[in-house]
Amino acid sequence: MDMEDMSVQMVAADTAAEVAAEVAAADPTNRHPKKSSQTCIPCRVRKVRCDGRRDVCQNCERLGFTCSFQDAASPNQDSESITNFTLPRRRVRLACANCHSRKARCSGETPKCARCQAQGIECVYKPTKRSGVINSATYQTHQGATDSEELESVSSEPPEKRIMTSKDSQGSHHGPQGPDQHGFEPNGLTAPTGSNREPFVFPDEALIQRTFSNFFRQIHHVPIFSFLHRASLMQRYHAGMMDKALLLALVGITTLMMDMGPGTREYGARCIDECQNMVLQDLENPSTIKIQALVLIMKHRMMSRKFTTAFMLAATATRFAYALRLNYENPNLCFLARESRRRLMWALLTIDSGINGGCSDFTLMPSESMHIQLPCTERNFEFDLPQVTEYLRPVPTRPFPDDVGSLALHVRLLWMRSRVLYCTKNVLGMPEAELVQLPELVKVLSDELAGFNDHLPSSFKFSESNLQLRAYSPRLCVYIMIHVWWRQCYCDLYRMFLVGLKEALPQSGLNRLDPQFVSYCVRQCYEHALAMADIFKLVLALDGGLPITDIDLPGCAYQCARIIYFAYQSNPAEVALSSNQVHEFGTRCLTIAKSMEHIPAGAAIVSCHDPEHFTTLY
């Protein structure tokens, strides 16, 4: 055998040995046992330490992941399968602003997390991308801006459920879907407001700014609208946290009460319709913001002569208020929040007393359920200056303090009027045999009204000088209404003795009473109606003109003219008024009523000032 043959045999032998070794290695029976992995696949992907506990490790048990291991029982598991493994996405609980700033653990509960509840501090959740885009530089709000809008709209609902405006790059505010999405349906589709109507378009920035300016300059002084705090509301709007329903309600009520250009009044009515739909579609989440929007909606409906809608919405708003316990003081809130809630509740009580008209069956908010203080002064509310005020009940027997608020006097007087209306309604339903108690009831209510006027501070008593001092003040409206309502309360009390008037007792019932008492009541009714007409004369002579008021002022003017015309026709000798004087009084009342002629309810009152119309009412 030569050297070449020997080299060929050696190469063949080496190749055969290598092949045999590879075959043996590939045989599972010849493989050494593989050590089981002590790290599960989820922990390996997350790159965290695993305790190696079989079935499910501690990490996967805590996080709710599916725990699996790569071991000898799964020889085909390779690195590619681990790379393709994806962890389930978990929704991270959102921390409130206070816990986030202090790097503290937040329980994520609403309306307040456990930490904020224990420390009695405000709990606010920062809106997410779903609820609106907010500039982080303008997110922080000052401590005084913790009114009911923030506490209820931001705190009581999770961020993903809130409906807010958002700002675009130019600073303009839009709905949650931005400037190109005008519908308000949850699925993002355009929502038409009627069968043949155009899709609703969210108000543009120019109209919104005009609304804010006109509302707080011309309308906010009306007592029923005074629950909104301007600084807090504007700060929330510029931060992109303005509630959309409330914004639409503001546009609607402002365009109704003021002339803001062609077509704005009709557009404001559509804003009210959209706002009402939004509130009614979310009845399961009551909030103070929704109640504020409902108050504005109800006033718009009443001024538009849609009284049935307002009547039904009043029940919804009252249920919301009771569910949120707004009729009780909440010491855990700051002063600004408590005062805003109080004013909102008194506005609801005012609406309820006007709707029920003295009928107990229709009463939603009896005064006994109001366990909150009366409103503070406007200055203290505006500048967040805490003030302790009285409660509504009982009837005060001492002079009002000098720092009493005009809104508190207005609320107390309307409560006294509701008691007068309850009395007159019950008297009309009394058996005639029980009318002997009527003089005593009338005396009690008359003395309360007289005591109210006697207890007024000198600056609140009615005089021409006090009226002139308020000619250019935003307090002029409530000052006028306090004294007009005071006269109207007497007219409501005594008109049941005007024989022939619809609200009067039958002649057979009056015959059971002392004739001198009946004559005194008739004379008092006429005198207070004439005194109210004198107030109108001074108001019309003001340099600044008549301010924007509620529909109540034209209503009182109508009742005043009605009583004067009735007195002149039924007993001209006792009234001692000439036809020219009666015409002059009627013209004053008509001029007052025409101040609200641009709204449907005001126009209806103006149409009733025709003397021929008064003759058909008796």
Side-chain angles (χ1 to χ4, degrees):
M1 183 178 295
D2 55 12
M3 295 298 296
E4 185 178 355
D5 294 335
M6 291 182 60
S7 61
V8 173
Q9 292 181 0
M10 291 179 62
V11 171
D14 292 340
T15 304
E18 291 176 1
V19 173
E22 292 177 0
V23 173
D27 188 359
T29 58
N30 298 328
R31 187 178 302 170
H32 295 286
K34 185 177 179 181
K35 185 178 180 181
S36 299
S37 175
Q38 296 299 320
T39 302
C40 68
I41 295 177
C43 290
R44 182 175 300 178
V45 174
R46 297 175 60 229
K47 298 181 181 179
V48 296
R49 186 184 298 276
C50 180
D51 62 358
R53 190 175 65 181
R54 290 312 173 112
D55 292 338
V56 58
C57 70
Q58 185 176 1
N59 290 336
C60 293
E61 182 180 17
R62 177 174 57 86
L63 298 175
F65 293 161
T66 301
C67 187
S68 60
F69 288 84
Q70 178 186 358
D71 50 25
S74 55
N76 296 324
Q77 185 78 17
D78 54 12
S79 59
E80 183 179 355
S81 62
I82 298 178
T83 304
N84 294 333
F85 181 82
T86 56
L87 292 172
R89 298 186 63 181
R90 300 177 63 250
R91 190 179 185 88
V92 181
R93 184 173 54 202
L94 186 67
C96 69
N98 280 319
C99 295
H100 180 74
S101 61
R102 292 167 175 79
K103 294 185 168 87
R105 183 181 296 274
C106 182
S107 62
E109 299 171 351
T110 57
K112 279 191 174 185
C113 68
R115 180 176 173 276
C116 293
Q117 181 72 26
Q119 297 184 7
I121 59 178
E122 178 194 6
C123 186
V124 177
Y125 287 93
K126 184 177 180 179
T128 61
K129 292 182 179 180
R130 288 193 180 188
S131 59
V133 180
I134 297 178
N135 189 343
S136 59
T138 59
Y139 165 69
Q140 294 296 333
T141 56
H142 61 76
Q143 184 178 1
T146 55
D147 64 351
S148 60
E149 302 169 33
E150 297 173 359
L151 291 170
E152 297 299 336
S153 176
V154 177
S155 303
S156 63
E157 297 182 357
E160 58 270 16
K161 287 188 177 181
R162 294 183 213 134
I163 304 175
M164 301 180 182
T165 60
S166 60
K167 293 197 294 186
D168 57 18
S169 58
Q170 286 77 32
S172 298
H173 289 70
H174 308 283
Q177 284 79 26
D180 296 330
Q181 182 65 42
H182 306 308
F184 297 135
E185 292 297 325
N187 56 9
L189 299 177
T190 302
T193 56
S195 56
N196 297 319
R197 301 178 67 179
E198 294 291 332
F200 180 77
V201 180
F202 196 78
D204 58 24
E205 186 71 13
L207 179 58
I208 292 174
Q209 292 299 332
R210 290 168 55 205
T211 296
F212 286 145
S213 176
N214 285 283
F215 178 83
F216 286 106
R217 184 165 46 91
Q218 302 286 350
I219 300 176
H220 185 253
H221 59 259
V222 178
I224 203 168
F225 301 131
S226 61
F227 53 82
L228 293 173
H229 187 260
R230 183 173 189 176
S232 301
L233 187 71
M234 295 306 300
Q235 188 172 23
R236 290 177 55 78
Y237 174 74
H238 291 302
M241 300 174 64
M242 176 73 180
D243 186 85
K244 189 171 62 178
L246 181 60
L247 180 58
L248 293 177
L250 283 172
V251 173
I253 197 68
T254 305
T255 53
L256 176 66
M257 300 185 69
M258 296 190 63
D259 185 7
M260 295 178 62
T264 55
R265 192 158 290 151
E266 292 76 12
Y267 176 73
R270 295 192 64 185
C271 289
I272 291 294
D273 293 338
E274 290 294 334
C275 177
Q276 178 177 315
N277 291 336
M278 292 167 62
V279 173
L280 295 182
Q281 289 173 6
D282 193 28
L283 292 177
E284 296 182 356
N285 298 298
S287 68
T288 302
I289 289 289
K290 289 188 177 69
I291 302 175
Q292 292 176 346
L294 283 172
V295 169
L296 300 179
I297 293 172
M298 285 188 287
K299 289 306 296 182
H300 189 282
R301 298 306 190 196
M302 295 168 71
M303 292 181 179
S304 302
R305 301 190 69 190
K306 298 179 180 179
F307 300 107
T308 303
T309 304
F311 182 81
M312 297 304 176
L313 290 177
T316 302
T318 304
R319 285 293 188 186
F320 278 3
Y322 284 154
L324 296 173
R325 305 287 284 176
L326 298 187
N327 57 323
Y328 287 89
E329 293 286 347
N330 188 346
N332 296 325
L333 303 180
C334 68
F335 167 74
L336 200 59
R338 294 199 304 270
E339 180 63 22
S340 180
R341 291 157 62 105
R342 292 169 189 153
R343 289 169 176 251
L344 181 60
M345 287 301 293
W346 294 124
L348 275 178
L349 182 68
T350 300
I351 293 177
D352 181 57
S353 63
I355 289 178
N356 63 52
C359 297
S360 57
D361 292 341
F362 295 150
T363 301
L364 299 171
M365 302 184 68
S367 59
E368 294 82 2
S369 65
M370 303 295 285
H371 307 285
I372 54 177
Q373 299 177 17
L374 291 172
C376 67
T377 63
E378 291 299 322
R379 179 179 181 274
N380 290 344
F381 180 55
E382 181 179 0
F383 295 106
D384 193 13
L385 302 175
Q387 178 185 1
V388 178
T389 57
E390 298 177 335
Y391 287 82
L392 180 64
R393 302 169 60 90
V395 177
T397 57
R398 61 182 184 275
F400 298 114
D402 293 335
D403 62 346
V404 64
S406 56
L407 188 58
L409 296 175
H410 185 266
V411 170
R412 187 177 291 280
L413 187 58
L414 289 184
W415 170 61
M416 299 174 72
R417 180 174 184 261
S418 67
R419 300 179 68 227
V420 169
L421 294 179
Y422 282 127
C423 174
T424 55
K425 291 290 184 180
N426 291 331
V427 167
L428 293 177
M430 275 186 181
E432 293 184 358
E434 298 180 5
L435 290 178
V436 292
Q437 304 174 3
L438 184 56
E440 183 178 353
L441 295 175
V442 171
K443 184 178 185 307
V444 171
L445 295 174
S446 177
D447 290 345
E448 289 182 3
L449 290 171
F452 174 87
N453 188 62
D454 294 339
H455 294 160
L456 287 176
S458 57
S459 61
F460 278 97
K461 291 185 179 296
F462 186 81
S463 65
E464 186 176 359
S465 60
N466 283 340
L467 185 64
Q468 291 289 345
L469 289 174
R470 293 172 170 83
Y472 299 96
S473 169
R475 313 290 183 266
L476 176 62
C477 174
V478 66
Y479 177 79
I480 294 173
M481 290 309 305
I482 285 174
H483 294 282
V484 169
W485 273 127
W486 185 70
R487 297 292 183 180
Q488 182 63 44
C489 286
Y490 276 109
C491 293
D492 293 336
L493 179 62
Y494 291 126
R495 67 184 176 184
M496 59 181 172
F497 299 99
L498 302 181
V499 180
L501 205 64
K502 288 195 303 184
E503 298 88 350
L505 289 167
Q507 184 65 55
S508 58
L510 293 176
N511 292 337
R512 293 176 174 269
L513 302 174
D514 184 359
Q516 293 184 352
F517 170 74
V518 174
S519 178
Y520 169 80
C521 293
V522 170
R523 187 167 59 253
Q524 286 294 308
C525 187
Y526 296 155
E527 290 179 357
H528 283 285
L530 294 175
M532 189 189 303
D534 292 337
I535 294 177
F536 295 152
K537 179 181 180 180
L538 296 176
V539 169
L540 294 174
L542 291 174
D543 295 335
L546 182 66
I548 293 179
T549 63
D550 200 349
I551 195 66
D552 297 333
L553 184 61
C556 292
Y558 167 76
Q559 293 295 338
C560 175
R562 180 168 174 248
I563 291 174
I564 293 175
Y565 272 103
F566 178 81
Y568 175 74
Q569 293 181 354
S570 61
N571 196 354
E574 184 175 349
V575 179
L577 292 177
S578 65
S579 59
N580 291 334
Q581 289 176 313
V582 173
H583 179 73
E584 180 184 356
F585 288 135
T587 302
R588 292 179 197 170
C589 297
L590 179 60
T591 305
I592 293 292
K594 282 186 174 181
S595 64
M596 299 292 286
E597 190 178 14
H598 57 280
I599 64 175
I605 294 176
V606 170
S607 65
C608 295
H609 274 77
D610 184 2
E612 296 181 0
H613 175 79
F614 285 120
T615 60
T616 63
L617 297 177
Y618 314 132

